[in-house]
């Protein structure tokens, strides 16, 4: 037996155990577990523990799977919106100029740690700080069930545009350009039909998971072979099958694996280098710059005719620095442009920005709700069509969340009560598909305070049925209903008994436990069929 491998494995198990403890503590104080993972990396770094081989492989695989699942959910039409490509371009240019010249001015003033920087090096640091973290933002959006929301789509679209800029920078800075064989990548488009057929035949079990891994890792390897960034290959393969009906099922099936592997990434950030007091202090001083980035995002998004609430939520999600900053710093150090301590400074700023963003995302709706009139005063009068409040058209029953459970509930209620039933879903594609099938389904964010304010004035809703898969999203809707003093009845779905209890305490009149009630419903169905026969 290879005892050296066992020793490495045991060390990795110890790190993961510490990450679990600190992640649990982070969650207990209302922060995402990833803040605890980052703290674990820094704690291990302080004691001089280096990253293990298994941890590095977990990090690489986690990022690959993350971008693959992003591709599964990404709507390419979002990237064509000026709210995405124009805002990204303007934001990056302004941040690089403002941050770069500010850092250079401090360098000219003789500030320690900055005094040796040239203007080009200061602009390089500013460029590194202009990006937001795809890993962090998508993780938070998935935890809140908001990837398909308008603010989620806008945020992810901006991140994808930044990733494209990142690839261009890497190619220029390293002198590594795609090979002549890279043109053959376009042949993947005709193969889309084959990929879809295979996805149809793999079923719903372990083959679906294995097929997902094959596409993600195969796409990454294919792009690497032709001199392109492997993560983009995983994203591209996800995009190719995103339109398939089973794409969402594949994303949900792979969710647990992706979360496990991403643990390695967050630990690796903290283990990126040996910290010194000067470098850590520089990182602490850089961290507040995320507020400028956030304010600039909000200003640009509202100028491009998004509602204040959509702009605020997207901006809060983007209030962080990116792991790409570490890559830029590493390239700068490798080429002799930057001192090695800049890697620690940016890693410190990155970690602190994650903590800042994690705290802000938990209270973002409260921030908007408490100063709603102020935020609304900052938005333009003319809004884009996708961001206007919706009319429930006289419905008395609203089914929110038109997935499998919601669709079944909608069909049953419509059969019994007729056209007075309306469906609402956060995903525009899902809503459109239901309308094609003849259902009265609107696209809207039910956790949106403005959404409920608009329909509260003259609505006729008597029953709201919450059938969304995310427990936290159901709680958010209940909070909105409480804020507008909704007087009708509210029914909700839950998967676990503790969730059912929490939903009732939050104001739900009836909670249907999907797992426990499914057996009773199945038995009732069999008895009814037996009686008919």
């Amino acid at each position: 037996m290879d005892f050296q491998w066992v020793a490495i494995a045991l060390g990795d198990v110890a790190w993961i155990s510490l990450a679990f403890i600190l992640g649990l503590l982070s969650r207990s104080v209302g922060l995402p577990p990833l803040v605890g993972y980052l703290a674990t990396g820094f704690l291990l770094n302080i004691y001089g523990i280096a990253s293990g081989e298994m941890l590095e492989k977990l990090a690489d695989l986690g990022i690959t799977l993350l971008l693959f699942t992003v591709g599964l959910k990404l709507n390419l039409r979002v990237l064509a919106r000026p709210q995405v490509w124009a805002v990204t371009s303007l934001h990056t240019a302004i941040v690089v100029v403002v941050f770069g010249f500010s850092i250079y001015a401090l360098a000219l003033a003789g500030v320690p740690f900055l005094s040796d920087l040239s203007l080009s090096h200061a602009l390089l640091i500013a460029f590194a700080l202009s990006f937001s973290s795809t890993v962090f933002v998508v993780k938070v959006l998935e935890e809140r069930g908001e990837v398909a929301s308008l603010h989620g789509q806008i945020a992810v679209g901006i991140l994808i545009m930044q990733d494209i800029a990142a690839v261009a920078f890497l190619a220029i800075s390293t002198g590594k350009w795609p090979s002549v064989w890279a043109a053959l990548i376009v042949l993947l488009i005709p193969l889309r039909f084959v990929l879809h057929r295979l996805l149809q035949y793999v079923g719903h079990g372990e083959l679906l998971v294995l097929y997902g891994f094959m596409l993600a890792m195969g796409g990454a390897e294919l792009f690497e072979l032709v001199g392109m960034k492997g993560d983009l290959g995983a994203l591209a393969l996800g995009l190719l099958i995103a339109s398939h009906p089973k794409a969402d099922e594949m994303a949900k099936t792979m969710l647990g694996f992706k979360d496990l592997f991403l643990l390695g990434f967050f630990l690796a950030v903290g283990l990126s280098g040996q910290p010194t007091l000067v470098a850590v202090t520089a990182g602490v001083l850089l961290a507040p710059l995320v507020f400028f980035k956030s304010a600039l995002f909000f200003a640009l998004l509202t100028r491009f005719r998004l509602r204040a609430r959509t702009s605020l939520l997207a901006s809060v999600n983007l209030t962080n620095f990116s792991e790409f900053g570490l890559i830029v710093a590493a390239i700068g150090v490798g080429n002799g442009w930057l001192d090695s301590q800049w890697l620690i400074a940016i890693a410190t700023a990155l970690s602190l920005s994650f903590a800042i963003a994690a705290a802000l995302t938990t209270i973002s709706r409260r921030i908007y709700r408490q100063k709603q009139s102020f935020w609304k005063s900052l938005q333009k009068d003319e809004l884009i069509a996708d961001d206007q409040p919706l009319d429930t058209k006289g419905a008395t029953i609203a089914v929110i969340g038109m997935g499998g459970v919601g669709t079944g509930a909608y069909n049953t209620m419509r059969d019994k009560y007729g056209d007075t039933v309306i469906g609402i879903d956060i995903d525009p594609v899902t809503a459109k598909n239901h309308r094609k099938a003849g259902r009265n389904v609107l696209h809207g964010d039910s956790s949106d305070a403005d959404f409920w304010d608009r329909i509260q004035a003259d609505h006729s809703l008597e029953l709201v049925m919450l059938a969304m898969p995310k427990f936290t999203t159901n709680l958010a809707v209940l909070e909105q209903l409480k804020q507008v003093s909704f007087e009708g009845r509210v029914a909700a779905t839950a998967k676990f008994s503790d969730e059912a209890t929490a939903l009732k305490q939050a104001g739900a009149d009836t909670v249907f436990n999907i797992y426990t009630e499914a057996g009773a419903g199945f038995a009732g169905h069999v008895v009814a069929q037996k009686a008919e026969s």
Side-chain angles (χ1 to χ4, degrees):
M1 176 177 287
D2 188 346
F3 289 101
Q4 185 178 4
W5 181 89
V6 173
I8 293 175
L10 288 174
D12 286 329
V13 169
W15 301 350
I16 293 172
S17 300
L18 180 59
F20 171 77
I21 294 171
L22 294 184
L24 192 62
L25 289 174
S26 294
R27 184 179 179 184
S28 66
V29 297
L31 294 175
L34 62 88
V35 176
Y37 305 157
L38 288 167
T40 301
F42 275 101
L43 185 61
L44 294 172
N45 207 342
I46 290 173
Y47 287 97
I49 300 176
S51 176
E53 181 181 357
M54 186 182 79
L55 202 60
E56 294 174 358
K57 291 180 178 179
L58 284 178
D60 292 340
L61 185 54
I63 294 175
T64 298
L65 291 180
L66 175 75
L67 289 177
F68 175 69
T69 55
V70 168
L72 289 175
K73 299 178 180 181
L74 186 64
N75 186 347
L76 280 178
R77 288 175 295 181
V78 173
L79 298 182
R81 293 175 179 264
Q83 292 81 12
V84 172
W85 65 266
V87 167
T88 305
S89 302
L90 289 171
H91 188 274
T92 301
I94 294 172
V95 167
V96 169
V97 170
V98 173
F99 286 8
F101 280 91
S102 297
I103 293 173
Y104 184 58
L106 293 174
L108 292 177
V111 174
F113 193 68
L114 302 176
S115 57
D116 295 334
L117 287 178
S118 66
L119 177 59
S120 59
H121 296 161
L123 291 173
L124 176 65
I125 295 169
F127 181 69
L129 298 176
S130 69
F131 291 82
S132 296
S133 173
T134 301
V135 176
F136 177 90
V137 174
V138 174
K139 188 77 168 60
V140 170
L141 288 172
E142 285 182 340
E143 288 179 351
R144 299 181 68 93
E146 297 175 350
V147 173
S149 67
L150 180 60
H151 72 266
Q153 289 282 294
I154 293 295
V156 171
I158 288 173
L159 291 167
I160 297 301
M161 293 300 296
Q162 289 182 343
D163 284 343
I164 294 173
V167 173
F169 171 81
L170 289 176
I172 295 172
S173 62
T174 60
K176 180 182 178 182
W177 292 90
S179 71
V180 294
W181 299 104
L184 296 178
I185 292 295
V186 298
L187 295 178
L188 288 174
I189 298 176
L191 285 175
R192 178 171 172 269
F193 172 76
V194 177
L195 298 177
H196 279 222
R197 291 297 298 269
L198 282 173
L199 182 56
Q200 189 63 39
Y201 283 118
V202 295
H204 304 279
E206 63 274 9
L207 277 178
L208 182 64
V209 177
L210 188 60
Y211 187 48
F213 270 84
M214 183 184 76
L215 290 176
M217 299 172 69
E221 185 64 26
L222 180 62
F223 271 54
E224 289 283 355
L225 287 174
V226 297
M228 298 178 69
K229 197 167 184 282
D231 294 339
L232 271 187
L235 177 68
L237 266 292
L239 280 170
L240 283 177
I241 63 172
S243 60
H244 194 281
K246 290 181 66 176
D248 186 59
E249 180 185 351
M250 174 179 281
K252 292 177 180 177
T253 303
M254 298 183 67
L255 181 63
F257 295 98
K258 174 178 62 63
D259 288 346
L260 172 63
F261 296 138
L262 278 176
L263 166 64
F265 167 78
F266 290 115
L267 285 175
V269 170
L271 288 164
S272 55
Q274 190 63 237
T276 63
L277 180 60
V278 174
V280 171
T281 302
V284 171
L285 295 176
L286 288 174
L289 294 178
V290 294
F291 294 110
F292 176 84
K293 288 180 56 179
S294 183
L296 182 58
F297 270 126
F298 179 82
L300 291 172
L301 291 172
T302 51
R303 293 312 88 195
F304 278 83
R305 300 190 295 123
L306 286 175
R307 282 189 303 114
R309 181 184 185 275
T310 304
S311 302
L312 180 65
L313 294 183
S315 300
V316 167
N317 284 323
L318 295 168
T319 306
N320 51 72
F321 296 125
S322 173
E323 57 280 357
F324 177 68
L326 292 175
I327 300 175
V328 172
I331 292 174
V333 171
N335 291 332
W337 302 335
L338 300 175
D339 185 90
S340 60
Q341 287 301 302
W342 274 106
L343 190 64
I344 307 303
I346 293 179
T348 302
L350 169 69
S351 302
L352 291 175
S353 75
F354 282 0
I356 292 170
L360 286 176
T361 54
T362 59
I363 61 173
S364 56
R365 284 165 179 76
R366 194 188 315 161
I367 294 173
Y368 177 77
R369 192 166 54 245
Q370 290 176 348
K371 299 290 184 180
Q372 190 167 331
S373 58
F374 167 75
W375 296 115
K376 282 186 176 181
S377 69
L378 300 176
Q379 69 186 27
K380 301 194 77 171
D381 294 332
E382 183 183 357
L383 303 173
I384 65 172
D386 289 349
D387 208 17
Q388 294 177 357
L390 301 173
D391 184 0
T392 57
K393 303 176 182 179
T396 60
I397 301 171
V399 179
I400 301 177
M402 292 297 291
V405 174
T407 301
Y410 177 96
N411 291 338
T412 300
M413 299 302 282
R414 189 176 65 173
D415 291 342
K416 187 171 183 179
Y417 297 103
D419 293 333
T420 189
V421 182
I422 192 171
I424 301 169
D425 199 272
I426 198 172
D427 188 348
V429 176
T430 299
K432 182 179 180 181
N433 290 337
H434 278 298
R435 287 194 295 272
K436 287 182 178 179
R439 301 183 183 92
N440 184 16
V441 177
L442 300 177
H443 166 226
D445 185 354
S446 55
S447 64
D448 185 340
D450 288 347
F451 172 78
W452 291 108
D453 285 345
R454 168 69 184 273
I455 68 169
Q456 181 65 17
D458 58 358
H459 77 84
S460 53
L461 291 177
E462 300 173 359
L463 172 63
V464 172
M465 303 176 67
L466 307 180
M468 291 167 290
K470 291 288 184 179
F471 164 68
T472 53
T473 309
N474 285 329
L475 277 180
V477 176
L478 283 169
E479 177 63 25
Q480 295 299 337
L481 290 172
K482 185 186 299 182
Q483 291 294 325
V484 298
S485 302
F486 178 67
E487 297 179 354
R489 299 183 71 251
V490 181
T493 57
K495 297 177 181 178
F496 306 102
S497 58
D498 59 331
E499 293 181 355
T501 301
L503 289 169
K504 287 183 178 179
Q505 291 174 347
D509 299 287
T510 303
V511 178
F512 182 87
N513 191 315
I514 295 174
Y515 291 157
T516 58
E517 300 289 346
F522 177 50
H525 174 75
V526 172
V527 171
Q529 292 291 318
K530 185 177 180 181
E532 290 177 2
S533 61

